[in-house]
Amino acid sequence: MSEVAQETDSPGYGLLGLAGAGVMTALAAIFIYVPTEKTEGIIQRIMYFHVPSAWIAFFAFFIVFLCSILFLWKKEREWDIYAHASAEIGIVFCTLVLITGPLWAKPVWGVWWVWDARLTSTLVLWLIYVAYLMLRVQSEPGSTRARYAAVIGIVGFLDIPLIHFSVLWWRTFHPSPKFITTQGLGTGNDPSMNITLLIALGAFTLLYFLLMSLRVRLERMKDEIDRIKKERLYSH
Amino acid sequence: MSVYLNQVKAIVWKDFVTELKTRELFSSMFVFALLVMLIFIFSINLSIVSANEVGPGVLWVAILFAGTLGLNRSFMLEKENGCLQGMMLAPVDRSAIFFGKMLSNLAFLLIMETFLLPVFMIFFNVDLVSHLGPLVGVILMGTLGFSALGTLLSSLSSNLKTREIMLPILLYPLMVPVAIGAVRLTGQILDGKSLADMMNWVGLILCFDIIFISASIMTIDHILEE
């Protein structure tokens, strides 16, 4: 038992260092290295947080999908922990996307929110995974919760392409705003901007793995405490 | 195969007999749908906006809300007297239980819709009779998708502490493609245009139906497991 405890206690110092260095480099690149954009001004720098957050959110939800399938197939608690941890991190980054987006949009577009396809699908995605986490809270811990959550994890991800196309077509019937095209990777023709964005993407990815390892460790500790509690309860 | 069909038929039949005895579900769904429509009519000014523009939205919101009521009821009845336990003990495939429940949900919704459409026609003063064919097609497709995903999620949420709350929270974000698609198509039909230039929506809803019926068959074993 002590071996198990030792193993779960080992913090990934290597990963911590790597993610820390990555985030520092990204911050330096975003605030010092990269020149300020001409038309949008200082607010454009939010893009270096917005785009990586969106990438991490989608990546995290994809991991939820994979781990949900693996859980239903193998029925190992491990996959349930991974899916849960990834969904929580995904929600955090999806929330960041939904916060940084309007912050950028207000000065640049003049409005907080547009019912554009990308914005709408991000919002719907956020709602799906909030429901996923609510389901986890509402159901009894154990295999039932893991099975139900896995079903939602799979069904939710399968729905993403359908939602994407439906909101895309929903809006193409209206004149689509031209400024949407300036958003995304195509903005930075300057190589320094592309480099900064790549650094930020890398740093966020490292951050994701760091958060994952911490969250998974926490969940394993919880399991361990539950097990010890039960042991105590039955030994007296 | 015929054994499987008989099993599905038995479950649908059981639901119909229960409904004929109690008459709870149909009346509550229909009255609720009417109320939803009425509230929308109060909240929009029909003399400013044209009925063809808001009508489809109101119709589908009424169908989805009333349908949620029915879905909640469908597995709660099974839970209450331990019927679900009995069905699971019976030597039938889990997917037969799913199909049985899905078909009875679909049938109840379709019956409710046949009563709702004339009322919709009168309230919104739109002509449905002249393009009944495509409209029935769209309603069938949309309702099929709704009952497929709805039955799966209802079987899941019926085991939760807060089942009435969790079902819509889980279901509505996932229903977005069908909700948008069905409203678009219905609007197109009410405008008197053909569906030929909106075939992408038809394809999308059919994709939704197929994807979620197959996803349900694959995952229902993991939900109905004690």
Side-chain angles (χ1 to χ4, degrees):
Chain A
M1 192 198 93
S2 60
E3 273 174 20
V4 176
Q6 285 251 307
E7 198 194 338
T8 49
D9 273 352
S10 70
Y13 280 125
L15 193 56
L16 180 67
L18 216 59
V23 169
M24 282 302 153
T25 321
L27 286 178
I30 293 166
F31 289 110
I32 299 162
Y33 165 66
V34 78
T36 306
E37 216 256 347
K38 213 172 171 183
T39 46
E40 289 175 17
I42 195 84
I43 191 73
Q44 190 268 335
R45 282 174 209 265
I46 213 166
M47 190 267 282
Y48 304 115
F49 295 96
H50 183 77
V51 175
S53 299
W55 145 246
I56 292 302
F58 285 109
F59 180 65
F61 295 147
F62 178 64
I63 296 291
V64 175
F65 175 62
L66 277 188
C67 293
S68 301
I69 292 179
L70 282 168
F71 175 79
L72 287 187
W73 184 21
K74 307 240 160 156
K75 300 268 158 138
E76 282 162 8
R77 164 90 176 119
E78 204 66 356
W79 297 116
D80 182 45
I81 295 178
Y82 286 135
H84 184 191
S86 195
E88 281 187 357
I89 298 166
I91 278 292
V92 170
F93 282 97
C94 202
T95 313
L96 279 179
V97 174
L98 289 173
I99 292 171
T100 52
L103 282 181
W104 174 84
K106 183 66 183 166
V108 178
W109 293 348
V111 283
W112 294 111
W113 187 270
V114 194
W115 288 102
D116 161 65
R118 225 174 302 187
L119 281 75
T120 316
S121 49
T122 312
L123 182 65
V124 176
L125 205 62
W126 187 82
L127 285 168
I128 291 177
Y129 286 92
V130 163
Y132 172 90
L133 290 179
M134 281 173 82
L135 175 77
R136 295 201 75 106
V137 175
Q138 303 281 344
S139 42
E140 311 273 324
S143 107
T144 317
R145 181 175 69 184
R147 278 186 284 115
Y148 289 2
V151 170
I152 299 296
I154 293 169
V155 169
F157 195 80
L158 287 178
D159 212 16
I160 291 176
L162 297 170
I163 290 172
H164 174 77
F165 281 114
S166 65
V167 291
L168 199 69
W169 295 335
W170 175 48
R171 272 306 159 185
T172 39
F173 286 90
H174 290 254
S176 62
K178 271 203 186 109
F179 36 70
I180 301 293
T181 50
T182 62
Q183 201 196 25
L185 288 168
T187 340
N189 285 328
D190 193 69
S192 68
M193 293 173 97
N194 286 338
I195 291 169
T196 311
L197 187 60
L198 280 179
I199 294 173
L201 280 170
F204 270 67
T205 312
L206 285 173
L207 194 62
Y208 168 79
F209 284 112
L210 177 69
L211 290 173
M212 260 308 258
S213 77
L214 289 174
R215 188 66 187 83
V216 167
R217 217 174 108 223
L218 203 66
E219 202 63 24
R220 282 192 189 135
M221 281 178 184
K222 256 192 205 163
D223 281 1
E224 182 75 6
I225 289 172
D226 281 348
R227 201 179 59 79
I228 294 170
K229 262 189 193 163
K230 259 185 207 145
E231 230 172 56
R232 280 287 160 86
L233 195 70
Y234 294 131
S235 65
H236 285 296
Chain B
M1 197 64 207
S2 70
V3 178
Y4 188 84
L5 284 180
N6 275 338
Q7 290 167 349
V8 173
K9 217 161 63 187
I11 292 169
V12 178
W13 179 241
K14 167 195 79 68
D15 277 356
F16 266 88
V17 171
T18 323
E19 177 55 26
L20 281 176
K21 281 259 193 284
T22 57
R23 295 207 182 87
E24 272 175 340
L25 195 59
F26 173 76
S27 49
S28 52
M29 269 163 74
F30 180 65
V31 171
F32 187 70
L34 273 187
L35 284 171
V36 170
M37 258 196 208
L38 201 66
I39 287 168
F40 269 106
I41 290 169
F42 289 148
S43 67
I44 48 182
N45 193 341
L46 275 177
S47 56
I48 297 172
V49 281
S50 93
N52 279 357
E53 264 171 44
V54 291
V58 175
L59 177 69
W60 278 98
V61 169
I63 291 175
L64 294 188
F65 281 7
T68 315
L69 223 62
L71 288 173
N72 257 331
R73 199 86 194 109
S74 125
F75 269 90
M76 212 145 70
L77 279 177
E78 304 290 351
K79 272 279 183 206
E80 264 170 13
N81 305 316
C83 301
L84 196 61
Q85 210 79 27
M87 274 208 288
M88 274 155 54
L89 284 172
V92 295
D93 199 60
R94 294 285 143 84
S95 64
I97 300 179
F98 169 77
F99 272 120
K101 291 307 279 184
M102 189 194 89
L103 288 177
S104 61
N105 282 332
L106 180 70
F108 288 143
L109 262 171
L110 288 177
I111 294 169
M112 197 268 294
E113 282 156 5
T114 34
F115 283 88
L116 196 64
L117 278 178
V119 181
F120 172 74
M121 202 170 104
I122 295 163
F123 278 180
F124 281 86
N125 206 11
V126 287
D127 176 30
L128 297 180
V129 184
S130 54
H131 11 255
L132 201 59
L135 186 70
V136 167
V138 168
I139 284 184
L140 260 177
M141 281 192 313
T143 316
L144 179 64
F146 179 73
S147 23
L149 188 57
T151 308
L152 178 75
L153 295 182
S154 148
S155 72
L156 185 152
S157 68
S158 65
N159 292 314
L160 302 177
K161 278 172 271 175
T162 48
R163 54 182 81 96
E164 286 91 351
I165 305 167
M166 275 317 282
L167 179 65
I169 287 179
L170 288 168
L171 183 58
Y172 291 163
L174 294 171
M175 283 307 296
V176 164
V178 167
I180 300 178
V183 170
R184 282 265 158 213
L185 288 172
T186 313
Q188 182 89 348
I189 293 166
L190 290 191
D191 279 342
K193 293 179 201 143
S194 86
L195 291 180
D197 55 336
M198 290 198 110
M199 281 324 268
N200 55 350
W201 283 111
V202 175
L204 184 86
I205 298 180
L206 285 178
C207 270
F208 185 96
D209 295 356
I210 293 166
I211 288 176
F212 286 110
I213 288 176
S214 19
S216 306
I217 298 170
M218 282 189 260
T219 53
I220 196 78
D221 284 348
H222 301 286
I223 293 175
L224 297 177
E225 183 187 276
E226 302 280 313

